[in-house]
Amino acid sequence: MKMLPVFEEVEAESQGLFQRASLSQLAGRLAPAIREPLAMYLSGAYSLLAAGNIQDPINPGKGVVVPFGYCTDGEWVWPSYWGYFVREYGVQLPDEFIDHVQGRNFAPAVLSDEELDKAEEEFEEQFFD
């Protein structure tokens, strides 16, 4: 299972387990034409873990509006805040992930219960054991 990086600007207990990226360095770099389709794909995925919302680190005045947890499409996993940051700030995603989503025509995956269970097990084994 492949994983998008976590953002250095978002503090979390398990953050040290994952590849990290700078939210501020990636903001505004995503092509506008794919911003909304990517945001919808990221936000429409299956939740592996939902932990509520956190404060927007770029604009704290927005309040506690950023979803926090982890999502999957069965092949990739990502912090759930990716959809928010793509939509709000045009945060650039890795080319490999964009190719993956374009190959699916930006349609969120439909996973069976068994596939979702498998993804949850792989996520826990790969990133938390």
Side-chain angles (χ1 to χ4, degrees):
M1 184 169 282
K2 297 175 184 176
M3 183 159 174
L4 291 177
V6 297
F7 292 125
E8 296 169 352
E9 295 86 349
V10 177
E11 293 185 30
E13 285 183 31
S14 61
Q15 187 169 347
L17 300 173
F18 307 112
Q19 178 186 355
R20 298 169 69 170
S22 173
L23 174 60
S24 59
Q25 289 180 359
L26 295 175
R29 296 179 57 202
L30 184 64
I34 61 171
R35 189 168 166 168
E36 189 58 27
L38 278 171
M40 290 179 65
Y41 184 91
L42 290 159
S43 299
Y46 288 88
S47 177
L48 294 173
L49 172 69
N53 290 344
I54 58 173
Q55 188 171 21
D56 184 326
I58 292 178
N59 186 352
K62 287 186 174 185
V64 181
V65 296
V66 180
F68 190 78
Y70 293 93
C71 296
T72 189
D73 63 7
E75 292 181 46
W76 283 79
V77 63
W78 56 89
S80 54
Y81 52 63
W82 267 96
Y84 174 85
F85 291 126
V86 164
R87 180 174 282 118
E88 294 296 314
Y89 302 109
V91 173
Q92 178 65 42
L93 290 139
D95 290 340
E96 183 182 7
F97 184 78
I98 292 173
D99 292 344
H100 168 74
V101 175
Q102 286 176 323
R104 292 176 173 231
N105 295 316
F106 297 95
V110 176
L111 302 178
S112 67
D113 289 342
E114 294 79 21
E115 291 170 320
L116 185 56
D117 288 344
K118 182 181 178 201
E120 287 174 346
E121 288 174 20
E122 284 183 35
F123 174 67
E124 289 176 12
E125 288 173 6
Q126 190 170 350
F127 299 106
F128 292 105
D129 274 352

mmCIF file of all heavy atoms in Angstrom, residues 26-43:
data_model
loop_
_atom_site.group_PDB
_atom_site.id
_atom_site.type_symbol
_atom_site.label_atom_id
_atom_site.label_comp_id
_atom_site.label_asym_id
_atom_site.label_seq_id
_atom_site.Cartn_x
_atom_site.Cartn_y
_atom_site.Cartn_z
ATOM 1 N N LEU A 26 4.104 23.177 -0.962
ATOM 2 C CA LEU A 26 3.296 22.541 -2.006
ATOM 3 C C LEU A 26 2.045 23.336 -2.372
ATOM 4 O O LEU A 26 1.431 23.085 -3.407
ATOM 5 C CB LEU A 26 2.891 21.134 -1.571
ATOM 6 C CG LEU A 26 4.031 20.134 -1.395
ATOM 7 C CD1 LEU A 26 3.512 18.813 -0.841
ATOM 8 C CD2 LEU A 26 4.771 19.918 -2.704
ATOM 9 N N ALA A 27 1.656 24.298 -1.534
ATOM 10 C CA ALA A 27 0.437 25.079 -1.776
ATOM 11 C C ALA A 27 0.568 25.903 -3.053
ATOM 12 O O ALA A 27 1.629 26.446 -3.363
ATOM 13 C CB ALA A 27 0.166 25.995 -0.585
ATOM 14 N N GLY A 28 -0.528 25.938 -3.817
ATOM 15 C CA GLY A 28 -0.595 26.740 -5.025
ATOM 16 C C GLY A 28 0.096 26.147 -6.237
ATOM 17 O O GLY A 28 0.190 26.804 -7.270
ATOM 18 N N ARG A 29 0.552 24.915 -6.146
ATOM 19 C CA ARG A 29 1.314 24.316 -7.246
ATOM 20 C C ARG A 29 0.504 23.335 -8.089
ATOM 21 O O ARG A 29 0.993 22.825 -9.090
ATOM 22 C CB ARG A 29 2.557 23.634 -6.689
ATOM 23 C CG ARG A 29 3.507 24.658 -6.047
ATOM 24 C CD ARG A 29 4.752 24.051 -5.460
ATOM 25 N NE ARG A 29 5.482 23.303 -6.458
ATOM 26 C CZ ARG A 29 6.344 22.346 -6.168
ATOM 27 N NH1 ARG A 29 6.591 22.027 -4.910
ATOM 28 N NH2 ARG A 29 6.982 21.698 -7.119
ATOM 29 N N LEU A 30 -0.732 23.056 -7.697
ATOM 30 C CA LEU A 30 -1.555 22.087 -8.425
ATOM 31 C C LEU A 30 -2.262 22.777 -9.593
ATOM 32 O O LEU A 30 -2.780 23.886 -9.440
ATOM 33 C CB LEU A 30 -2.593 21.482 -7.480
ATOM 34 C CG LEU A 30 -3.469 20.377 -8.041
ATOM 35 C CD1 LEU A 30 -2.641 19.148 -8.402
ATOM 36 C CD2 LEU A 30 -4.537 19.989 -7.024
ATOM 37 N N ALA A 31 -2.293 22.124 -10.735
ATOM 38 C CA ALA A 31 -2.980 22.670 -11.903
ATOM 39 C C ALA A 31 -4.454 22.901 -11.567
ATOM 40 O O ALA A 31 -5.131 21.989 -11.082
ATOM 41 C CB ALA A 31 -2.855 21.709 -13.082
ATOM 42 N N PRO A 32 -4.963 24.116 -11.819
ATOM 43 C CA PRO A 32 -6.351 24.433 -11.461
ATOM 44 C C PRO A 32 -7.386 23.485 -12.069
ATOM 45 O O PRO A 32 -8.399 23.195 -11.443
ATOM 46 C CB PRO A 32 -6.541 25.857 -11.999
ATOM 47 C CG PRO A 32 -5.166 26.438 -12.031
ATOM 48 C CD PRO A 32 -4.252 25.281 -12.362
ATOM 49 N N ALA A 33 -7.141 22.974 -13.268
ATOM 50 C CA ALA A 33 -8.116 22.113 -13.946
ATOM 51 C C ALA A 33 -8.381 20.801 -13.208
ATOM 52 O O ALA A 33 -9.456 20.221 -13.359
ATOM 53 C CB ALA A 33 -7.652 21.815 -15.370
ATOM 54 N N ILE A 34 -7.420 20.325 -12.426
ATOM 55 C CA ILE A 34 -7.634 19.048 -11.735
ATOM 56 C C ILE A 34 -7.838 19.220 -10.233
ATOM 57 O O ILE A 34 -8.034 18.239 -9.513
ATOM 58 C CB ILE A 34 -6.489 18.051 -12.009
ATOM 59 C CG1 ILE A 34 -5.143 18.594 -11.525
ATOM 60 C CG2 ILE A 34 -6.452 17.664 -13.472
ATOM 61 C CD1 ILE A 34 -4.023 17.575 -11.574
ATOM 62 N N ARG A 35 -7.838 20.444 -9.771
ATOM 63 C CA ARG A 35 -7.966 20.714 -8.331
ATOM 64 C C ARG A 35 -9.248 20.134 -7.736
ATOM 65 O O ARG A 35 -9.210 19.368 -6.784
ATOM 66 C CB ARG A 35 -7.891 22.226 -8.129
ATOM 67 C CG ARG A 35 -7.783 22.670 -6.713
ATOM 68 C CD ARG A 35 -7.417 24.141 -6.727
ATOM 69 N NE ARG A 35 -7.585 24.775 -5.455
ATOM 70 C CZ ARG A 35 -7.122 25.976 -5.179
ATOM 71 N NH1 ARG A 35 -6.460 26.664 -6.094
ATOM 72 N NH2 ARG A 35 -7.313 26.501 -4.001
ATOM 73 N N GLU A 36 -10.392 20.494 -8.287
ATOM 74 C CA GLU A 36 -11.660 20.022 -7.733
ATOM 75 C C GLU A 36 -11.865 18.516 -7.931
ATOM 76 O O GLU A 36 -12.269 17.830 -6.990
ATOM 77 C CB GLU A 36 -12.834 20.820 -8.297
ATOM 78 C CG GLU A 36 -14.155 20.519 -7.611
ATOM 79 C CD GLU A 36 -14.175 20.760 -6.104
ATOM 80 O OE1 GLU A 36 -13.404 21.602 -5.607
ATOM 81 O OE2 GLU A 36 -14.961 20.078 -5.408
ATOM 82 N N PRO A 37 -11.585 17.956 -9.128
ATOM 83 C CA PRO A 37 -11.741 16.502 -9.257
ATOM 84 C C PRO A 37 -10.860 15.714 -8.281
ATOM 85 O O PRO A 37 -11.295 14.708 -7.725
ATOM 86 C CB PRO A 37 -11.353 16.215 -10.706
ATOM 87 C CG PRO A 37 -11.488 17.501 -11.429
ATOM 88 C CD PRO A 37 -11.248 18.579 -10.419
ATOM 89 N N LEU A 38 -9.634 16.180 -8.060
ATOM 90 C CA LEU A 38 -8.754 15.505 -7.102
ATOM 91 C C LEU A 38 -9.282 15.649 -5.682
ATOM 92 O O LEU A 38 -9.267 14.694 -4.899
ATOM 93 C CB LEU A 38 -7.331 16.038 -7.187
ATOM 94 C CG LEU A 38 -6.469 15.466 -8.289
ATOM 95 C CD1 LEU A 38 -5.157 16.224 -8.406
ATOM 96 C CD2 LEU A 38 -6.192 13.982 -8.058
ATOM 97 N N ALA A 39 -9.744 16.841 -5.340
ATOM 98 C CA ALA A 39 -10.291 17.062 -3.995
ATOM 99 C C ALA A 39 -11.494 16.157 -3.745
ATOM 100 O O ALA A 39 -11.640 15.580 -2.664
ATOM 101 C CB ALA A 39 -10.667 18.526 -3.807
ATOM 102 N N MET A 40 -12.348 16.016 -4.746
ATOM 103 C CA MET A 40 -13.520 15.146 -4.598
ATOM 104 C C MET A 40 -13.094 13.684 -4.443
ATOM 105 O O MET A 40 -13.673 12.948 -3.647
ATOM 106 C CB MET A 40 -14.464 15.337 -5.776
ATOM 107 C CG MET A 40 -15.152 16.693 -5.752
ATOM 108 S SD MET A 40 -16.262 16.968 -7.142
ATOM 109 C CE MET A 40 -17.498 15.726 -6.824
ATOM 110 N N TYR A 41 -12.091 13.264 -5.214
ATOM 111 C CA TYR A 41 -11.595 11.892 -5.106
ATOM 112 C C TYR A 41 -11.044 11.642 -3.697
ATOM 113 O O TYR A 41 -11.381 10.644 -3.060
ATOM 114 C CB TYR A 41 -10.495 11.654 -6.144
ATOM 115 C CG TYR A 41 -9.993 10.230 -6.166
ATOM 116 C CD1 TYR A 41 -10.578 9.297 -7.006
ATOM 117 C CD2 TYR A 41 -8.950 9.804 -5.346
ATOM 118 C CE1 TYR A 41 -10.137 7.978 -7.032
ATOM 119 C CE2 TYR A 41 -8.505 8.490 -5.369
ATOM 120 C CZ TYR A 41 -9.099 7.589 -6.209
ATOM 121 O OH TYR A 41 -8.671 6.279 -6.227
ATOM 122 N N LEU A 42 -10.210 12.542 -3.231
ATOM 123 C CA LEU A 42 -9.584 12.382 -1.915
ATOM 124 C C LEU A 42 -10.620 12.385 -0.797
ATOM 125 O O LEU A 42 -10.547 11.593 0.139
ATOM 126 C CB LEU A 42 -8.564 13.500 -1.689
ATOM 127 C CG LEU A 42 -7.301 13.415 -2.539
ATOM 128 C CD1 LEU A 42 -6.627 14.770 -2.622
ATOM 129 C CD2 LEU A 42 -6.358 12.371 -1.979
ATOM 130 N N SER A 43 -11.593 13.282 -0.898
ATOM 131 C CA SER A 43 -12.606 13.414 0.151
ATOM 132 C C SER A 43 -13.682 12.335 0.076
ATOM 133 O O SER A 43 -14.349 12.055 1.071
ATOM 134 C CB SER A 43 -13.266 14.794 0.064
ATOM 135 O OG SER A 43 -12.304 15.804 0.250
#
